[in-house]
Amino acid sequence: MKGNIFLHVVLSGLLLAVSADTEDTEPSIEVDGNGYLIFCLCMGRFGNQAEHFLGGLAFAKAVNRTLILPSWRTYKNIPFTDWFKIEKLAQYHRRILCGTLPPQCGPPDRGPGNPFGPFWDELGVNFDSMKAFTVAYHEPDRWVQRFSPSEYPVVALKGAPASFPMATEHRALQQYMEWSDSIVEQGQRYIQQNFPGRKYVGIHLRNGPDWEKACSHLEGGLSSFMASPQCINPRQIKEHVEETGATVVYVATDKNPLIHEIESHLADLKVSVFHQDPWLPQLDLYILGEADHFIGNCVSSFTSFVARARTVHNKPTSFWAVR
Ligand SMILES: Nc1nc2c(ncn2[C@@H]2O[C@H](COP(=O)(O)OP(=O)(O)OP(=O)(O)O)[C@@H](O)[C@H]2O)c(=O)[nH]1
Ligand SMILES: *[C@@H]1O[C@H](CO)[C@@H](O)[C@H](O)[C@H]1NC(C)=O
């Protein structure tokens, strides 16, 4: 089983998370006697991080600690709330923003410097002490016995206490991930400016270098789009355009949107093809999430995010068929 051992770092004693959010601190916060948990989303890009987050969220609930919402990680820390609302999460489990730890929980003596780099640096977290341990995250009961909240009020983990790909039973937690107003506004602005009120099929094309590799053993490969139904099958687009009565195809991709190829293939249907290459990948995720039909590819965690979100809202998804 993948990742069943986890060797991480625990704060004994205290940690203070000082961030730009400090100003927003709620006036009085009660200390959670069951302790706090924070982990770094230090692995992979967003699709990866989102799966780790959901697994870690489930873990926080399993050990009954308040989750200190981690930042998303790009080349810098992105505050959790830039992309998602925190209100909905509360329906599942207690959570607070970084920088809102109760004053009783800090500040610690300055620790021995920071071993994990930018994530913690940018949060202003100093470590009191560190421990390596090997209690698996799928054993929350043992974990609770090992790390009592009185001895370890705040636990900071080097990585998420979760597997990747995520556990199937945690996929439904996607329902607590609600896009921030800013993402919704930007995504809606694009839709309103480009194809307001029109039905659309969203497709995710992964044809950057690693995907090309995945397809290359298949006859034709990417170089001949029409001849490579294995990887991107234009017939599938056509089928779902017809079935949904869509007049728009929205293409999200890590590389080549293949707009002309798609247009020419759908020439007999009155369909416009749009591709944005947005400044934030999250805008593609949002727009794909809103589509009348979505075609993704089953090896991508980017697609997985969209597919989970659509399941929550009972929207149909299909995947590029490998034939
Ligand atoms: N804007 C945009 N970015 C994309 C798209 N597809 C992939 N990316 C970028 O490429 C990254 C990796 O894509 P994934 O499909 O998640 O790849 P993966 O191999 O499953 O996961 P990683 O370990 O994150 O590489 C995403 O986090 C995005 O930053 C897309 O359709 N639109
Ligand atoms: C979980 O923690 C909360 C907050 O500290 C506490 O009120 C609750 O009783 C705990 N639940 C269990 C099952 O221990």
Side-chain angles (χ1 to χ4, degrees):
M1 186 189 189
K2 206 178 166 183
N4 60 349
I5 297 288
F6 100 2
L7 187 65
H8 278 318
V9 171
V10 181
L11 277 193
S12 93
L14 307 165
L15 142 170
L16 177 67
V18 185
S19 77
D21 301 329
T22 313
E23 306 284 289
D24 307 332
T25 303
E26 292 156 35
S28 70
I29 313 159
E30 276 183 34
V31 177
D32 184 351
N34 273 294
Y36 297 83
L37 174 75
I38 185 171
F39 48 82
C40 179
L41 292 173
C42 287
M43 221 188 73
R45 289 175 285 182
F46 180 74
N48 234 296
Q49 294 178 26
E51 297 195 24
H52 268 157
F53 174 74
L54 292 178
L57 174 66
F59 182 79
K61 189 179 172 95
V63 299
N64 200 22
R65 284 173 175 265
T66 294
L67 179 62
I68 304 171
L69 294 170
S71 301
W72 303 104
R73 188 75 204 155
T74 59
Y75 63 95
K76 60 175 184 178
N77 281 3
I78 306 293
F80 189 90
T81 47
D82 276 19
W83 293 346
F84 297 96
K85 290 186 175 158
I86 65 166
E87 289 76 8
K88 197 85 184 259
L89 281 166
Q91 293 174 12
Y92 178 71
H93 188 59
R94 307 185 301 284
R95 80 286 169 270
I96 58 172
L97 289 172
C98 248
T100 53
L101 273 182
Q104 294 92 321
C105 286
D109 294 333
R110 289 197 76 80
N114 185 335
F116 312 121
F119 178 81
W120 303 109
D121 280 344
E122 286 174 31
L123 295 177
V125 170
N126 286 303
F127 287 86
D128 224 29
S129 73
M130 286 177 275
K131 287 190 180 176
F133 64 93
T134 51
V135 183
Y137 53 78
H138 62 253
E139 296 179 299
D141 296 343
R142 273 192 64 201
W143 204 92
V144 168
Q145 286 165 10
R146 174 70 183 77
F147 302 105
S148 72
S150 52
E151 198 181 347
Y152 302 97
V154 180
V155 168
L157 302 176
K158 212 173 162 182
S163 63
F164 179 83
M166 69 187 295
T168 314
E169 67 265 30
H170 296 151
R171 291 177 61 89
L173 298 185
Q174 185 76 34
Q175 68 186 285
Y176 303 106
M177 302 290 280
E178 198 178 358
W179 289 115
S180 66
D181 290 340
S182 153
I183 295 293
V184 174
E185 264 162 40
Q186 294 176 72
Q188 280 299 330
R189 193 181 314 138
Y190 181 87
I191 293 171
Q192 295 314 320
Q193 284 173 358
N194 291 283
F195 46 89
R198 292 165 72 181
K199 290 197 168 168
Y200 67 102
V201 172
I203 67 177
H204 180 213
L205 305 184
R206 277 289 260 126
N207 50 22
D210 41 348
W211 182 239
E212 223 166 294
K213 219 184 294 162
C215 291
S216 62
H217 70 281
L218 300 165
E219 197 198 335
L222 255 190
S223 50
S224 51
F225 169 73
M226 292 307 170
S228 68
Q230 298 91 345
C231 274
I232 295 155
N233 186 343
R235 271 175 306 193
Q236 281 179 268
I237 307 178
K238 194 166 186 175
E239 188 184 307
H240 292 294
V241 162
E242 287 176 331
E243 166 204 282
T244 55
T247 60
V248 168
V249 172
Y250 179 82
V251 184
T253 181
D254 60 332
K255 195 181 173 197
N256 185 352
L258 300 170
I259 291 174
H260 299 303
E261 288 87 341
I262 296 168
E263 271 172 352
S264 73
H265 194 84
L266 302 178
D268 54 332
L269 306 168
K270 287 210 165 62
V271 168
S272 331
V273 181
F274 288 90
H275 167 63
Q276 180 181 190
D277 194 13
W279 76 284
L280 279 178
Q282 283 68 26
L283 299 177
D284 269 346
L285 292 172
Y286 171 80
I287 295 171
L288 294 175
E290 295 294 302
D292 294 280
H293 190 90
F294 169 59
I295 313 173
N297 73 73
C298 49
V299 298
S300 160
S301 62
F302 197 83
T303 278
S304 296
F305 186 97
V306 176
R308 290 195 305 273
R310 294 177 62 84
T311 302
V312 170
H313 298 109
N314 286 315
K315 292 181 177 164
T317 295
S318 53
F319 296 91
W320 301 114
V322 178
R323 295 173 188 189

